[in-house]
Every structure is written in structure tokens, then in C-alpha cells.
Amino acid sequence: VRTLVPALLAALLTAAPTLARPDTPGAIIARAPNSDWQAVDPNDLLVIDMARGRVVIQLAPGFAPVHVANIRALARAHWYDGLSIERVQDDYVVQWGDPGGRKVLPKTVVQPAPAEYERAAAGLKLEVLPWRDTFADVAGFSGGWPVAESLGKAWLTHCYSMVGAGRDNNPDTGTGAELYAVIGHAPRPLDRNIAVVGRVLGGMDLLSALPRGGGELGVYSRVQLIPIRRVRLAADLPAAERPAYEVLRTDSDTFRAWYQLKANRQDSFFLHPAGAIDVCSILPPLRSHNPPPLAPSPAKR
Amino acid sequence: VRTLVPALLAALLTAAPTLARPDTPGAIIARAPNSDWQAVDPNDLLVIDMARGRVVIQLAPGFAPVHVANIRALARAHWYDGLSIERVQDDYVVQWGDPGGRKVLPKTVVQPAPAEYERAAAGLKLEVLPWRDTFADVAGFSGGWPVAESLGKAWLTHCYSMVGAGRDNNPDTGTGAELYAVIGHAPRPLDRNIAVVGRVLGGMDLLSALPRGGGELGVYSRVQLIPIRRVRLAADLPAAERPAYEVLRTDSDTFRAWYQLKANRQDSFFLHPAGAIDVCSILPPLRSHNPPPLAPSPAKR
């Protein structure tokens, strides 16, 4: 239940007779059978440890296979270790990588050609939302991912918490060495112009609350840079440090019932059920087991 | 220019011949004549001073007149002084007010009846966007405000930075004593269910970067509460402390050219202009003169 005076609402709900209590999105998720949950492959989980906590990103090899291969190679080469969060622009993105752009990439890391901004819609099983999308013919979900589709092409949508590969001006297509996460209203005009490579599953609240950068476009000054201590694939971490995530299957009846109720809320707070919901308001729910991140560094940060 | 590798892009743009440089949204705004800017009435500017800085909110008397009258009365009674930011929920809202809900309201402050969740569309001059809205028949702007309209009713949309009046469960309609600002993807299903009373014009980056609350729904524990020192209408502040804002007129050719270009970016970073833009991605640009807020308190916060 997501309302604005939670204590009082909780009291009211508790006081109401059980039979009169309307269904809620949270209750639907709580009832989901285990078979509706899909474990994320630990080779698709990128784990970023910083002094202030851990960020975990699910990679999207079905949409950006070359970028994801690059990101896995960079993590396995420990290439990201010691880089920085370098930009936080309000209502837009947090970005991290090599602020000077001078760190040499491993030879195996290449720019994708063609660019991975979109893919063929053919072969994607899409759960199509029955409501209008402003930017595409249809929007929906495929394999847990938010997708828009027009004229035979499909692409991941730039929703809050989605991760993309920074790039220089066209014709640069990026490599995955610079990454950003969306921390504001969905900047959908970036769709089909940058490769979306994943979604933040854990630590989003850490990224979104970072101080906004004082420079143009939110770029951090040298003293603002926030060091990244270690970036690994979950598959390469010792078992005791390895996070595990499950994403609700977007082809399940549970997911369909959940987003229909998000569009048509029945609890008494809502007088005018919206009758619709947009793709970026219903990223699939998660379950996680996230062990404590790296022990705090003895060095003062 | 909002791109992901600003330094390099700036270099490229600087290097390009002037004649080949495509128009940009920022350049359109820079060319706007003074007559396209509308000064905000200082009686419509709510100024919130905290130890960490200042937040300035434009009130919307055309949409929530009773709430706005309440908010003005509460500010003039100094009722808000000493209250707290009490809730920060990621990708949703920051909320402030009286955490215990025990502070007695002035007798003139009453709940609006009927509720101010929507108004008659008749009498509103709406600049209608030519693209589909997921939640309403049409969306657009009126008098600087983002508006959706269906079946003769119009309402302010819950976009990033919009401010609403917290309320308890239906049939409570709120008073303006509890306020919240949107800090995530537009939660449009709140539209028509809560009164939207304004928009944050200044200090949004301060609100959005607050630590997320550890409690259910982002509620702050007692030790997390962030004190609000002083809340006044700009009209009641001494001239030296009074902020001034101008909002681009949404019935101007400049605004129309600006949002059309935001929907169809021409600069070379963009390979696939979106061909559309949603109402929450194009809140009208601002100009401001914001003097330094209150001197830092000698007391340790």
C-alpha cells in the first residue's frame, strides 16, 4: 500500500473487517507461487561495491549482447575497480566510469556494430499492455524487461532504474565502460539513441540520493568524485558475498493481475482508479537475498 | 544540451562550423523575448527554509483555491515553522508536515468541499499536446501548469517536482498542512485522487537527494526527521530575502517550438528523434533570482 499517511491508513486497514478488505498489489505479489519467480543468472548480475554500499544491476544480454559481453569482460579484468561516480544530474541520470576517459580498454572490448539501440521484434514474446504509449505503437514486457515496439523493432525503455551505456556523439555506439542509471522521470526520448544494458535491482536508493553535481549537466568536480571500490559479476564472488535476485515472471498470471490492479486500484484511498498504467510504472517486482557488501575499508573515505 | 558525455560533446559542438549547428531546446529558450516570460506572483510563492537550503514552491490557486488559501494562512500564522521532513520514499515522494499530526490548525483552515482533485475543463485555455497520453483523453498546459483532460474535467498531473496535499484515507480531502513533492517517475494514478497544489521551482535537487527513509513507505524515524526552520510567502519576506521566478508562458510560440524540438531533437547525438514527448517531460522552463536563504543558524543542526 503506497499512500501518503501510512500510519493512519495502516490503522484503518487493520481495524476493517477482513472480508471487506479490498485486494492490493502487494497482496497479489505475496500470494505468487514460487513458479512465478525467475532467478536471475549470476552471470547477469553486476555487483558494484562502494564505501557507502552496494549496487546490483541485472544485465540484458537479449537486448545488448555485445555491450553485456564487454561489461562481463571489464568486470573480470577488474577494469572498473577504482573508477568513480562522476555525474549526478537531477531528474535525469547518475553516471560512472573513467572521468578522464584515459584508461586503456582491454583489446577484447569493442564497440558494437551495428549499434544495439534496438532489435528485431520478431522472436520476442511480448506481454502487450492494453493502454496507449506516448512514444511507440505498443509497450509491454518480455522476459522481465520493459519493452516498446514499433514497425517491427523493439527496444528497452528508459525507465527509472534502467541502466544504459554512455557514449560520445554519433557515430560512437559506446562500449559499456561508461554506464548510467536513470534517477528521474523516464527520459523516453533517449530510447533507440543509446543502448540500454540493464536494470538496477539493488541499491537504487543509494544512487538516487547522491548529491547532484555542481557542474554543467551535473558533472562532479574532482573533489566530488565518489570512488568505486570493486565491480564483479555475482558468479565470480565467493558464495558468502554473492547476492541473489528473483524477478516476477512477466508472462505469469500474477504479473498480469498485479499491473491490472495497479491501473485500477480498489483500496478506499483511490476514488478515481486511473484505468491505465504506463510501462515505466510497473517494472516487475523483485525478491532478493543480498548478503552484506564488502567490509568497510580501514582507509578513511 | 543534455547528453551523456558532456565534455566531449561540448568540444565537438564548439569545433563544428556555426552554420551547420542544429537548433537546440536550450538555444530556443535563450532567444525567448521578455514578453514570453511570466513573473510568478509573490503571493503564489511558498518559501521553505531549512538548514540545508531553500525550497521554493509555486502555488496553483486556479486548481486548488481552498488548499492554497489554507497554505497561505498557515504560512502567515507561522504554523509550519519547526515542523519536519518526515518521509522520503524512493521513486515516489518526499513529504513534510507534523509527524505526530497533533499540532492544532488555525480555525480558518478547513477541508475543501467539494474536493479539489479536478476542476471543470470549461474556462481553461489548454495548449493541447498533439501526442497520446496514457491516462487521459488529452494532456497539455494551461497558464504554465501541466494539465490532463477527459470528459469535461481537467486536473494537474503528478509530474516530477509537482506538489500535492497529503491526506488520510477517503473521505478526507486534506488541508495543505501536510505537503509532498514527487521525486520519481510521474505517479499519474494519484491524479484525481489527491489535490495537486503547486510545483517546486527552486531547491528540487535538495529534496530529491534526501536520504530515503528506513521505515515502511519511506517514513523517517524520529532521529531522521529534518527540521523546517521557516515557511513564508515570498510576499511576506523582506525584499533582500525574497526570491523571484519567471515561468515561460505556455501559450507562447517559444514554448511550442521548444517542446516540438524536445520531441524531435535535431542535434547529432540523436539518431532516432522520438517524434513525441509526454507532458511530464516538458514542464515549462524557469528564470529566477534567488537571494541567499536565511543565514546559517548558530545552533548545531
mmCIF file of all heavy atoms in Angstrom, chain A residues 99-136:
data_model
loop_
_atom_site.group_PDB
_atom_site.id
_atom_site.type_symbol
_atom_site.label_atom_id
_atom_site.label_comp_id
_atom_site.label_asym_id
_atom_site.label_seq_id
_atom_site.Cartn_x
_atom_site.Cartn_y
_atom_site.Cartn_z
ATOM 1 N N PRO A 99 36.489 9.223 -15.361
ATOM 2 C CA PRO A 99 36.204 10.645 -15.635
ATOM 3 C C PRO A 99 37.124 11.234 -16.705
ATOM 4 O O PRO A 99 36.691 12.044 -17.506
ATOM 5 C CB PRO A 99 36.427 11.320 -14.285
ATOM 6 C CG PRO A 99 36.355 10.248 -13.272
ATOM 7 C CD PRO A 99 36.780 8.980 -13.947
ATOM 8 N N GLY A 100 38.375 10.840 -16.732
ATOM 9 C CA GLY A 100 39.296 11.403 -17.716
ATOM 10 C C GLY A 100 39.196 10.718 -19.070
ATOM 11 O O GLY A 100 39.641 11.240 -20.081
ATOM 12 N N GLY A 101 38.575 9.547 -19.085
ATOM 13 C CA GLY A 101 38.455 8.804 -20.333
ATOM 14 C C GLY A 101 39.785 8.297 -20.863
ATOM 15 O O GLY A 101 39.948 8.068 -22.055
ATOM 16 N N ARG A 102 40.759 8.114 -19.975
ATOM 17 C CA ARG A 102 42.114 7.774 -20.455
ATOM 18 C C ARG A 102 42.525 6.336 -20.144
ATOM 19 O O ARG A 102 43.560 5.883 -20.612
ATOM 20 C CB ARG A 102 43.132 8.719 -19.802
ATOM 21 C CG ARG A 102 42.977 10.155 -20.267
ATOM 22 C CD ARG A 102 44.150 11.022 -19.852
ATOM 23 N NE ARG A 102 43.778 12.428 -19.988
ATOM 24 C CZ ARG A 102 43.106 13.120 -19.051
ATOM 25 N NH1 ARG A 102 42.785 12.547 -17.912
ATOM 26 N NH2 ARG A 102 42.779 14.390 -19.248
ATOM 27 N N LYS A 103 41.732 5.625 -19.375
ATOM 28 C CA LYS A 103 42.112 4.258 -19.001
ATOM 29 C C LYS A 103 41.963 3.348 -20.218
ATOM 30 O O LYS A 103 40.907 3.308 -20.858
ATOM 31 C CB LYS A 103 41.227 3.788 -17.850
ATOM 32 C CG LYS A 103 41.694 2.502 -17.218
ATOM 33 C CD LYS A 103 41.017 2.258 -15.867
ATOM 34 C CE LYS A 103 41.496 0.925 -15.293
ATOM 35 N NZ LYS A 103 40.928 0.676 -13.952
ATOM 36 N N VAL A 104 43.007 2.625 -20.526
ATOM 37 C CA VAL A 104 43.016 1.804 -21.748
ATOM 38 C C VAL A 104 42.094 0.595 -21.574
ATOM 39 O O VAL A 104 42.123 -0.080 -20.537
ATOM 40 C CB VAL A 104 44.452 1.343 -22.065
ATOM 41 C CG1 VAL A 104 44.471 0.438 -23.295
ATOM 42 C CG2 VAL A 104 45.352 2.563 -22.296
ATOM 43 N N LEU A 105 41.296 0.334 -22.593
ATOM 44 C CA LEU A 105 40.378 -0.806 -22.552
ATOM 45 C C LEU A 105 41.087 -2.081 -22.976
ATOM 46 O O LEU A 105 41.982 -2.054 -23.834
ATOM 47 C CB LEU A 105 39.206 -0.555 -23.502
ATOM 48 C CG LEU A 105 38.225 0.544 -23.079
ATOM 49 C CD1 LEU A 105 37.303 0.901 -24.246
ATOM 50 C CD2 LEU A 105 37.408 0.084 -21.872
ATOM 51 N N PRO A 106 40.663 -3.222 -22.397
ATOM 52 C CA PRO A 106 41.185 -4.498 -22.907
ATOM 53 C C PRO A 106 40.880 -4.624 -24.400
ATOM 54 O O PRO A 106 39.867 -4.103 -24.877
ATOM 55 C CB PRO A 106 40.397 -5.539 -22.106
ATOM 56 C CG PRO A 106 39.861 -4.823 -20.904
ATOM 57 C CD PRO A 106 39.710 -3.393 -21.294
ATOM 58 N N LYS A 107 41.746 -5.321 -25.137
ATOM 59 C CA LYS A 107 41.584 -5.414 -26.598
ATOM 60 C C LYS A 107 40.289 -6.107 -27.016
ATOM 61 O O LYS A 107 39.775 -5.877 -28.107
ATOM 62 C CB LYS A 107 42.778 -6.172 -27.208
ATOM 63 C CG LYS A 107 44.069 -5.360 -27.197
ATOM 64 C CD LYS A 107 44.941 -5.676 -28.423
ATOM 65 C CE LYS A 107 46.175 -4.791 -28.471
ATOM 66 N NZ LYS A 107 47.180 -5.166 -27.415
ATOM 67 N N THR A 108 39.773 -6.956 -26.134
ATOM 68 C CA THR A 108 38.548 -7.687 -26.499
ATOM 69 C C THR A 108 37.301 -6.811 -26.442
ATOM 70 O O THR A 108 36.233 -7.232 -26.887
ATOM 71 C CB THR A 108 38.327 -8.875 -25.537
ATOM 72 O OG1 THR A 108 38.345 -8.363 -24.190
ATOM 73 C CG2 THR A 108 39.421 -9.915 -25.698
ATOM 74 N N VAL A 109 37.438 -5.630 -25.849
ATOM 75 C CA VAL A 109 36.271 -4.753 -25.696
ATOM 76 C C VAL A 109 36.139 -3.867 -26.926
ATOM 77 O O VAL A 109 37.002 -3.029 -27.189
ATOM 78 C CB VAL A 109 36.395 -3.907 -24.412
ATOM 79 C CG1 VAL A 109 35.336 -2.813 -24.363
ATOM 80 C CG2 VAL A 109 36.287 -4.815 -23.190
ATOM 81 N N VAL A 110 35.072 -4.091 -27.680
ATOM 82 C CA VAL A 110 34.905 -3.358 -28.940
ATOM 83 C C VAL A 110 33.524 -2.700 -28.974
ATOM 84 O O VAL A 110 32.604 -3.124 -28.281
ATOM 85 C CB VAL A 110 35.032 -4.300 -30.150
ATOM 86 C CG1 VAL A 110 36.453 -4.825 -30.262
ATOM 87 C CG2 VAL A 110 34.031 -5.444 -30.048
ATOM 88 N N GLN A 111 33.403 -1.679 -29.805
ATOM 89 C CA GLN A 111 32.097 -1.049 -29.965
ATOM 90 C C GLN A 111 31.220 -1.947 -30.835
ATOM 91 O O GLN A 111 31.661 -2.440 -31.868
ATOM 92 C CB GLN A 111 32.249 0.328 -30.622
ATOM 93 C CG GLN A 111 33.064 1.270 -29.745
ATOM 94 C CD GLN A 111 32.656 2.717 -29.930
ATOM 95 O OE1 GLN A 111 31.939 3.053 -30.862
ATOM 96 N NE2 GLN A 111 33.109 3.568 -29.023
ATOM 97 N N PRO A 112 29.967 -2.140 -30.419
ATOM 98 C CA PRO A 112 29.072 -2.997 -31.209
ATOM 99 C C PRO A 112 28.790 -2.381 -32.573
ATOM 100 O O PRO A 112 28.597 -1.175 -32.684
ATOM 101 C CB PRO A 112 27.768 -3.019 -30.379
ATOM 102 C CG PRO A 112 28.073 -2.354 -29.096
ATOM 103 C CD PRO A 112 29.316 -1.562 -29.251
ATOM 104 N N ALA A 113 28.768 -3.215 -33.571
ATOM 105 C CA ALA A 113 28.345 -2.770 -34.904
ATOM 106 C C ALA A 113 27.539 -3.920 -35.497
ATOM 107 O O ALA A 113 28.077 -5.008 -35.645
ATOM 108 C CB ALA A 113 29.554 -2.457 -35.792
ATOM 109 N N PRO A 114 26.279 -3.700 -35.821
ATOM 110 C CA PRO A 114 25.547 -2.434 -35.663
ATOM 111 C C PRO A 114 25.281 -2.101 -34.202
ATOM 112 O O PRO A 114 25.456 -2.945 -33.324
ATOM 113 C CB PRO A 114 24.231 -2.708 -36.407
ATOM 114 C CG PRO A 114 24.025 -4.184 -36.287
ATOM 115 C CD PRO A 114 25.420 -4.777 -36.339
ATOM 116 N N ALA A 115 24.869 -0.853 -33.976
ATOM 117 C CA ALA A 115 24.547 -0.391 -32.626
ATOM 118 C C ALA A 115 23.435 -1.250 -32.025
ATOM 119 O O ALA A 115 22.633 -1.838 -32.750
ATOM 120 C CB ALA A 115 24.103 1.059 -32.678
ATOM 121 N N GLU A 116 23.417 -1.315 -30.698
ATOM 122 C CA GLU A 116 22.401 -2.137 -30.011
ATOM 123 C C GLU A 116 21.312 -1.267 -29.390
ATOM 124 O O GLU A 116 20.880 -1.507 -28.263
ATOM 125 C CB GLU A 116 23.081 -3.017 -28.959
ATOM 126 C CG GLU A 116 24.061 -3.985 -29.597
ATOM 127 C CD GLU A 116 24.781 -4.874 -28.605
ATOM 128 O OE1 GLU A 116 25.131 -4.387 -27.503
ATOM 129 O OE2 GLU A 116 24.997 -6.060 -28.935
ATOM 130 N N TYR A 117 20.862 -0.292 -30.112
ATOM 131 C CA TYR A 117 19.811 0.605 -29.596
ATOM 132 C C TYR A 117 18.434 -0.035 -29.696
ATOM 133 O O TYR A 117 17.503 0.358 -29.015
ATOM 134 C CB TYR A 117 19.799 1.930 -30.361
ATOM 135 C CG TYR A 117 21.129 2.630 -30.421
ATOM 136 C CD1 TYR A 117 21.455 3.441 -31.507
ATOM 137 C CD2 TYR A 117 22.060 2.497 -29.398
ATOM 138 C CE1 TYR A 117 22.661 4.104 -31.567
ATOM 139 C CE2 TYR A 117 23.280 3.146 -29.448
ATOM 140 C CZ TYR A 117 23.582 3.949 -30.546
ATOM 141 O OH TYR A 117 24.778 4.596 -30.607
ATOM 142 N N GLU A 118 18.294 -0.982 -30.602
ATOM 143 C CA GLU A 118 17.017 -1.666 -30.795
ATOM 144 C C GLU A 118 17.313 -3.048 -31.374
ATOM 145 O O GLU A 118 18.448 -3.322 -31.750
ATOM 146 C CB GLU A 118 16.112 -0.862 -31.746
ATOM 147 C CG GLU A 118 16.726 -0.681 -33.126
ATOM 148 C CD GLU A 118 15.934 0.255 -34.035
ATOM 149 O OE1 GLU A 118 15.089 1.015 -33.531
ATOM 150 O OE2 GLU A 118 16.190 0.230 -35.249
ATOM 151 N N ARG A 119 16.303 -3.892 -31.448
ATOM 152 C CA ARG A 119 16.472 -5.210 -32.048
ATOM 153 C C ARG A 119 15.206 -5.545 -32.843
ATOM 154 O O ARG A 119 14.208 -4.814 -32.780
ATOM 155 C CB ARG A 119 16.748 -6.283 -30.995
ATOM 156 C CG ARG A 119 15.755 -6.351 -29.862
ATOM 157 C CD ARG A 119 15.786 -7.697 -29.170
ATOM 158 N NE ARG A 119 15.103 -8.707 -29.975
ATOM 159 C CZ ARG A 119 15.085 -9.996 -29.691
ATOM 160 N NH1 ARG A 119 15.727 -10.450 -28.633
ATOM 161 N NH2 ARG A 119 14.438 -10.855 -30.460
ATOM 162 N N ALA A 120 15.262 -6.649 -33.563
ATOM 163 C CA ALA A 120 14.061 -7.100 -34.269
ATOM 164 C C ALA A 120 13.012 -7.515 -33.250
ATOM 165 O O ALA A 120 13.321 -8.180 -32.256
ATOM 166 C CB ALA A 120 14.401 -8.276 -35.179
ATOM 167 N N ALA A 121 11.767 -7.106 -33.494
ATOM 168 C CA ALA A 121 10.688 -7.527 -32.590
ATOM 169 C C ALA A 121 10.395 -9.012 -32.764
ATOM 170 O O ALA A 121 9.959 -9.674 -31.816
ATOM 171 C CB ALA A 121 9.433 -6.698 -32.847
ATOM 172 N N ALA A 122 10.645 -9.525 -33.961
ATOM 173 C CA ALA A 122 10.403 -10.950 -34.218
ATOM 174 C C ALA A 122 11.227 -11.784 -33.238
ATOM 175 O O ALA A 122 12.400 -11.506 -33.007
ATOM 176 C CB ALA A 122 10.782 -11.284 -35.655
ATOM 177 N N GLY A 123 10.593 -12.799 -32.665
ATOM 178 C CA GLY A 123 11.310 -13.658 -31.734
ATOM 179 C C GLY A 123 11.148 -13.241 -30.286
ATOM 180 O O GLY A 123 11.516 -13.981 -29.381
ATOM 181 N N LEU A 124 10.602 -12.032 -30.055
ATOM 182 C CA LEU A 124 10.321 -11.597 -28.683
ATOM 183 C C LEU A 124 8.891 -11.932 -28.336
ATOM 184 O O LEU A 124 7.973 -11.571 -29.064
ATOM 185 C CB LEU A 124 10.449 -10.081 -28.557
ATOM 186 C CG LEU A 124 11.780 -9.468 -28.202
ATOM 187 C CD1 LEU A 124 11.567 -7.995 -27.874
ATOM 188 C CD2 LEU A 124 12.460 -10.179 -27.047
ATOM 189 N N LYS A 125 8.697 -12.617 -27.219
ATOM 190 C CA LYS A 125 7.333 -12.856 -26.755
ATOM 191 C C LYS A 125 6.958 -11.693 -25.848
ATOM 192 O O LYS A 125 7.493 -11.544 -24.747
ATOM 193 C CB LYS A 125 7.279 -14.191 -25.991
ATOM 194 C CG LYS A 125 5.880 -14.753 -25.860
ATOM 195 C CD LYS A 125 5.901 -16.067 -25.076
ATOM 196 C CE LYS A 125 4.646 -16.147 -24.208
ATOM 197 N NZ LYS A 125 4.820 -17.069 -23.074
ATOM 198 N N LEU A 126 6.085 -10.829 -26.352
ATOM 199 C CA LEU A 126 5.784 -9.588 -25.635
ATOM 200 C C LEU A 126 4.417 -9.663 -24.953
ATOM 201 O O LEU A 126 3.418 -10.000 -25.596
ATOM 202 C CB LEU A 126 5.813 -8.413 -26.624
ATOM 203 C CG LEU A 126 5.733 -6.999 -26.041
ATOM 204 C CD1 LEU A 126 6.969 -6.685 -25.198
ATOM 205 C CD2 LEU A 126 5.598 -5.966 -27.160
ATOM 206 N N GLU A 127 4.401 -9.383 -23.646
ATOM 207 C CA GLU A 127 3.136 -9.171 -22.925
ATOM 208 C C GLU A 127 2.753 -7.718 -23.200
ATOM 209 O O GLU A 127 3.347 -6.789 -22.639
ATOM 210 C CB GLU A 127 3.357 -9.413 -21.428
ATOM 211 C CG GLU A 127 2.271 -8.917 -20.495
ATOM 212 C CD GLU A 127 1.075 -9.866 -20.411
ATOM 213 O OE1 GLU A 127 1.182 -11.001 -20.915
ATOM 214 O OE2 GLU A 127 0.043 -9.453 -19.851
ATOM 215 N N VAL A 128 1.804 -7.503 -24.112
ATOM 216 C CA VAL A 128 1.464 -6.148 -24.559
ATOM 217 C C VAL A 128 0.489 -5.500 -23.583
ATOM 218 O O VAL A 128 -0.551 -6.087 -23.245
ATOM 219 C CB VAL A 128 0.854 -6.182 -25.978
ATOM 220 C CG1 VAL A 128 0.400 -4.778 -26.406
ATOM 221 C CG2 VAL A 128 1.857 -6.736 -26.973
ATOM 222 N N LEU A 129 0.801 -4.307 -23.122
ATOM 223 C CA LEU A 129 -0.121 -3.581 -22.256
ATOM 224 C C LEU A 129 -1.291 -3.062 -23.094
ATOM 225 O O LEU A 129 -1.093 -2.602 -24.225
ATOM 226 C CB LEU A 129 0.589 -2.396 -21.586
ATOM 227 C CG LEU A 129 1.748 -2.772 -20.658
ATOM 228 C CD1 LEU A 129 2.381 -1.502 -20.086
ATOM 229 C CD2 LEU A 129 1.285 -3.675 -19.528
ATOM 230 N N PRO A 130 -2.508 -3.105 -22.525
ATOM 231 C CA PRO A 130 -3.678 -2.703 -23.300
ATOM 232 C C PRO A 130 -3.925 -1.189 -23.289
ATOM 233 O O PRO A 130 -5.036 -0.764 -23.549
ATOM 234 C CB PRO A 130 -4.824 -3.452 -22.606
ATOM 235 C CG PRO A 130 -4.373 -3.568 -21.185
ATOM 236 C CD PRO A 130 -2.874 -3.701 -21.231
ATOM 237 N N TRP A 131 -2.884 -0.401 -22.987
ATOM 238 C CA TRP A 131 -3.083 1.055 -22.910
ATOM 239 C C TRP A 131 -2.119 1.762 -23.859
ATOM 240 O O TRP A 131 -1.112 1.208 -24.270
ATOM 241 C CB TRP A 131 -2.879 1.525 -21.467
ATOM 242 C CG TRP A 131 -3.791 0.807 -20.528
ATOM 243 C CD1 TRP A 131 -5.156 0.898 -20.486
ATOM 244 C CD2 TRP A 131 -3.431 -0.170 -19.530
ATOM 245 N NE1 TRP A 131 -5.664 0.059 -19.516
ATOM 246 C CE2 TRP A 131 -4.631 -0.599 -18.914
ATOM 247 C CE3 TRP A 131 -2.212 -0.699 -19.089
ATOM 248 C CZ2 TRP A 131 -4.646 -1.544 -17.886
ATOM 249 C CZ3 TRP A 131 -2.225 -1.638 -18.077
ATOM 250 C CH2 TRP A 131 -3.429 -2.051 -17.485
ATOM 251 N N ARG A 132 -2.439 3.016 -24.146
ATOM 252 C CA ARG A 132 -1.652 3.781 -25.115
ATOM 253 C C ARG A 132 -0.278 4.133 -24.571
ATOM 254 O O ARG A 132 -0.141 4.538 -23.411
ATOM 255 C CB ARG A 132 -2.385 5.078 -25.461
ATOM 256 C CG ARG A 132 -3.773 4.838 -25.980
ATOM 257 C CD ARG A 132 -4.428 6.125 -26.418
ATOM 258 N NE ARG A 132 -4.618 7.058 -25.316
ATOM 259 C CZ ARG A 132 -5.271 8.203 -25.419
ATOM 260 N NH1 ARG A 132 -5.758 8.571 -26.597
ATOM 261 N NH2 ARG A 132 -5.424 8.987 -24.384
ATOM 262 N N ASP A 133 0.738 4.019 -25.394
ATOM 263 C CA ASP A 133 2.065 4.510 -25.066
ATOM 264 C C ASP A 133 2.294 5.779 -25.883
ATOM 265 O O ASP A 133 1.908 5.843 -27.054
ATOM 266 C CB ASP A 133 3.118 3.448 -25.398
ATOM 267 C CG ASP A 133 4.498 3.867 -24.940
ATOM 268 O OD1 ASP A 133 4.759 3.827 -23.726
ATOM 269 O OD2 ASP A 133 5.318 4.265 -25.798
ATOM 270 N N THR A 134 2.901 6.788 -25.257
ATOM 271 C CA THR A 134 3.110 8.056 -25.966
ATOM 272 C C THR A 134 4.170 7.928 -27.055
ATOM 273 O O THR A 134 4.128 8.644 -28.055
ATOM 274 C CB THR A 134 3.518 9.158 -24.956
ATOM 275 O OG1 THR A 134 2.452 9.327 -24.008
ATOM 276 C CG2 THR A 134 3.776 10.492 -25.638
ATOM 277 N N PHE A 135 5.118 7.002 -26.878
ATOM 278 C CA PHE A 135 6.309 7.004 -27.719
ATOM 279 C C PHE A 135 6.379 5.873 -28.740
ATOM 280 O O PHE A 135 7.257 5.882 -29.595
ATOM 281 C CB PHE A 135 7.561 6.945 -26.837
ATOM 282 C CG PHE A 135 7.712 8.148 -25.946
ATOM 283 C CD1 PHE A 135 7.168 8.174 -24.673
ATOM 284 C CD2 PHE A 135 8.386 9.265 -26.400
ATOM 285 C CE1 PHE A 135 7.301 9.294 -23.855
ATOM 286 C CE2 PHE A 135 8.527 10.384 -25.607
ATOM 287 C CZ PHE A 135 7.972 10.395 -24.328
ATOM 288 N N ALA A 136 5.537 4.874 -28.622
ATOM 289 C CA ALA A 136 5.657 3.704 -29.505
ATOM 290 C C ALA A 136 4.268 3.161 -29.816
ATOM 291 O O ALA A 136 3.293 3.517 -29.166
ATOM 292 C CB ALA A 136 6.498 2.620 -28.826
#
